[in-house]
Amino acid sequence: MSAIALPHTSATPPKRRMSSFQTWGLIMLAPYALVFLAFVLYPVTYGLWLARHPESYVKLFADPIFFRTLINTIVFLLVAVNLKFLMALYLSGFFVHDRVWIRWMSVLFLLPWAVPSIPTIFSIRFMFNPEWGVVNSVIFRLTGADGPNWLNDPRIGLGLSMLTHIWKSLPFWTLILIAGRMSIPREQYEAASVDGASAWQKFKFVTWPSLRTLYLTSTILSMIWTLGDFNSVYLLTGGGPADLTHVLATLGIRYIRLDQVDLAMATIVCAMPLVLPLVYFMMKNLSKPAQ
């Protein structure tokens, strides 16, 4: 019996051509990819390349301003961010009430976050001017005594910077927590009222379990943003007096103004041990399944 030759079959599947939908998707993504490469990936890579020399970190650590700045940054994060979110948590419970006058008040409350940072923070700086600021003018009219030089004291200057940061960003995070509260079913509060729960018990057993993940995630995200925020300090005190109110973001600008770009980039790299754990905990928090 003669063998019958079978046709040769290839195991490689035929190539599929891209659909028009996929092609247009790549075309629409191309501008974003170019912007990301030009304004994110390239600057970050170039900055790390500038900060590659060990001598830059030796000079940075030898600068006494750096360690004072590091302490200021940690204090700023721990005090300003946590105080801001405690206030946001309380105010979100106030503004969630459905009353007309509360709605109008919420519009006024959102104004500090909505207006640009530069004119508002400069306005605060002018208010605390020791010679013709409105604060010292009021003190002089009421008491006949000259007011203090507010921004010439490092502790007062850093404290005012933290208060300015809280005042400017508090409305945004309050709005986030309001949205979280509004997602809680009203039936849970009605059931708690039927069981005779007090206002504190409603918050402890109904509100907080529902808001906990959002609250912690928002707090960590705010810390990450605050590390890169220089407006509250730079526009109010300029890092003074005597460079004693700098945070890491403004210290980098100081080195750039002194034409020490390698130290500026080294300062940013030194902030990464603070940023990376925050990013890790935030992503770990987000990956948890909803309960």
Side-chain angles (χ1 to χ4, degrees):
M1 180 182 290
S2 60
I4 300 175
L6 297 176
H8 177 71
T9 58
S10 176
T12 304
K15 294 183 178 180
R16 296 179 58 184
R17 298 186 62 182
M18 293 178 59
S19 64
S20 60
F21 181 79
Q22 293 172 327
T23 303
W24 278 107
L26 291 177
I27 293 174
M28 298 298 290
L29 285 176
Y32 170 78
L34 293 175
V35 170
F36 179 80
L37 291 174
F39 296 101
V40 178
L41 188 60
Y42 172 74
V44 170
T45 305
Y46 183 63
L48 294 176
W49 182 78
L50 290 175
R52 72 191 187 279
H53 300 294
E55 295 82 4
S56 301
Y57 300 93
V58 173
K59 291 191 294 184
L60 182 64
F61 296 154
D63 190 348
I65 298 175
F66 172 73
F67 289 101
R68 176 61 182 257
T69 300
L70 188 60
I71 294 173
N72 289 344
T73 304
I74 294 174
V75 171
F76 202 103
L77 289 177
L78 294 178
V79 176
V81 174
N82 285 286
L83 181 60
K84 171 179 61 181
F85 270 89
L86 288 175
M87 295 176 62
L89 183 62
Y90 174 78
L91 290 173
S92 64
F94 172 76
F95 286 114
V96 78
H97 293 293
D98 190 15
R99 297 177 183 176
V100 177
W101 66 274
I102 292 180
R103 292 180 182 177
W104 284 105
M105 187 177 293
S106 64
V107 174
L108 297 176
F109 178 71
L110 288 173
L111 284 179
W113 169 68
V115 296
S117 299
I118 294 178
T120 53
I121 297 179
F122 271 139
S123 299
I124 296 174
R125 182 172 181 172
F126 295 152
M127 287 172 58
F128 286 97
N129 186 282
E131 298 180 0
W132 41 265
V134 64
V135 176
N136 280 6
S137 298
V138 171
I139 292 176
F140 181 78
R141 290 179 182 179
L142 295 177
T143 64
D146 294 331
N149 193 343
W150 299 95
L151 301 179
N152 203 37
D153 187 314
R155 292 173 296 181
I156 297 178
L158 187 63
L160 288 175
S161 298
M162 289 190 288
L163 290 177
T164 301
H165 169 79
I166 293 172
W167 172 78
K168 189 75 177 69
S169 57
L170 178 62
F172 174 77
W173 296 111
T174 303
L175 192 63
I176 296 296
L177 295 182
I178 288 174
R181 284 179 180 266
M182 294 180 67
S183 66
I184 302 174
R186 290 180 176 270
E187 291 78 6
Q188 296 185 16
Y189 291 104
E190 294 174 357
S193 299
V194 172
D195 292 338
S198 62
W200 167 249
Q201 289 173 329
K202 290 179 183 179
F203 172 80
K204 182 178 179 181
F205 297 107
V206 179
T207 305
W208 177 245
S210 302
L211 286 182
R212 181 172 54 220
T213 301
L214 177 63
Y215 182 90
L216 295 178
T217 304
S218 299
T219 302
I220 296 173
L221 183 60
S222 177
M223 286 186 173
I224 296 171
W225 288 356
T226 303
L227 275 171
D229 177 28
F230 66 93
N231 290 335
S232 302
V233 175
Y234 192 76
L235 298 178
L236 190 64
T237 68
D243 295 321
L244 294 176
T245 59
H246 275 297
V247 292
L248 288 175
T250 60
L251 184 63
I253 297 176
R254 173 184 178 271
Y255 287 130
I256 291 177
R257 294 182 63 182
L258 295 175
D259 200 20
Q260 296 175 322
V261 182
D262 57 335
L263 292 183
M265 294 300 103
T267 303
I268 303 304
V269 172
C270 289
M272 294 181 67
L274 296 176
V275 175
L276 295 179
L278 295 176
V279 174
Y280 170 76
F281 285 118
M282 184 182 70
M283 299 308 297
K284 184 178 180 181
N285 225 6
L286 289 175
S287 62
K288 291 181 179 179
Q291 296 181 354

